[in-house]
Amino acid sequence: MSQRKIVIEPDPILRKKSENLEKVDDDIRRLLDDMLETMYAAPGIGLAAVQIGILKRLIVIDISKDKEKKDPIFLINPVIISRSNQTSIHEEGCLSLPGHFAEIERPDGCQIKFIDYNGKEKKLSANGLLSTCIQHEVDHLNGVLFIDYLSKLKKDMIVKKLVKQKKELNKVIL
Ligand code: NI
């Protein structure tokens, strides 16, 4: 396993639509392992492949609070098949928008179908934090970021700050 570099907004790749996978092989499993390691190191609770620059419909999630008992979920080609009418608000952040958070309203529950780490088709019903996380990550696969749900003013402000952050980061590296 190796850690990958996380793509930071603004970057055009984060706006691209990721492609479905044809099959799950060892190369894909290695990639999923790298994504998980990158997410744990960040640290974060969810990561989509596009966030390490790969336009494939792959997601890793681990919302377990206990660091001793890791509970990773691997989602390949996930599709949201239903959403609850009831909504809930969570404060969301994103590894591609470091240091920025906002309260986002989404359907409280969702049901998804996906392919798992071993290539098996599965279904999952989620609510609360897991449901929010799944919806946030599936958005990434469609080129959508949580700031897209904010007013233009708030969104522009965050992007402006990120541009400045990136410039500062480059200065340090150089
Ligand atoms: Ni994110």
Side-chain angles (χ1 to χ4, degrees):
M1 289 211 284
S2 58
Q3 272 182 49
R4 309 283 190 106
K5 196 167 176 268
I6 295 173
V7 177
I8 306 295
E9 166 78 352
D11 190 308
I13 197 165
L14 293 172
R15 297 312 189 166
K16 294 206 167 119
K17 206 175 153 146
S18 295
E19 282 175 5
N20 267 321
L21 270 98
E22 300 284 316
K23 65 176 168 75
V24 182
D25 56 20
D26 286 344
D27 286 342
I28 293 304
R29 275 186 279 270
R30 259 191 294 273
L31 178 56
L32 285 166
D33 292 343
D34 283 359
M35 285 170 62
L36 195 66
E37 193 183 332
T38 305
M39 183 190 83
Y40 283 144
I45 59 167
L47 187 79
V50 60
Q51 292 180 274
I52 56 163
I54 295 166
L55 288 167
K56 302 273 183 209
R57 299 186 87 81
L58 295 170
I59 289 168
V60 294
I61 291 173
D62 190 342
I63 59 157
S64 64
K65 297 238 161 61
D66 190 345
K67 285 212 166 74
E68 300 301 309
K69 283 191 215 129
K70 291 194 165 108
D71 189 16
I73 301 170
F74 301 94
L75 305 177
I76 301 162
N77 299 346
V79 177
I80 296 175
I81 48 180
S82 68
R83 294 170 171 84
S84 65
N85 292 325
Q86 201 188 330
T87 61
S88 64
I89 297 170
H90 284 270
E91 186 164 56
E92 295 188 25
C94 180
L95 293 177
S96 293
L97 293 93
H100 297 278
F101 301 90
E103 289 191 333
I104 307 293
E105 185 174 15
R106 297 183 188 268
D108 182 62
C110 67
Q111 198 187 20
I112 57 164
K113 60 172 186 177
F114 63 99
I115 297 168
D116 75 1
Y117 194 82
N118 299 309
K120 289 207 176 90
E121 272 191 48
K122 293 233 169 116
K123 272 189 189 173
L124 172 71
S125 290
N127 52 42
L129 180 61
L130 180 58
S131 168
T132 295
C133 193
I134 289 170
Q135 292 175 68
H136 175 118
E137 300 308 330
V138 170
D139 272 354
H140 272 301
L141 304 183
N142 297 320
V144 175
L145 299 173
F146 79 79
I147 50 171
D148 298 348
Y149 298 100
L150 303 176
S151 67
K152 192 181 178 305
L153 190 75
K154 275 190 190 165
K155 181 177 163 175
D156 288 351
M157 208 167 72
I158 290 175
V159 173
K160 223 170 119 182
K161 281 185 185 158
L162 283 163
V163 171
K164 218 172 142 189
Q165 274 172 243
K166 271 178 120 174
K167 271 188 193 156
E168 293 297 319
L169 210 67
N170 287 336
K171 265 189 213 163
V172 173
I173 290 164
L174 287 167

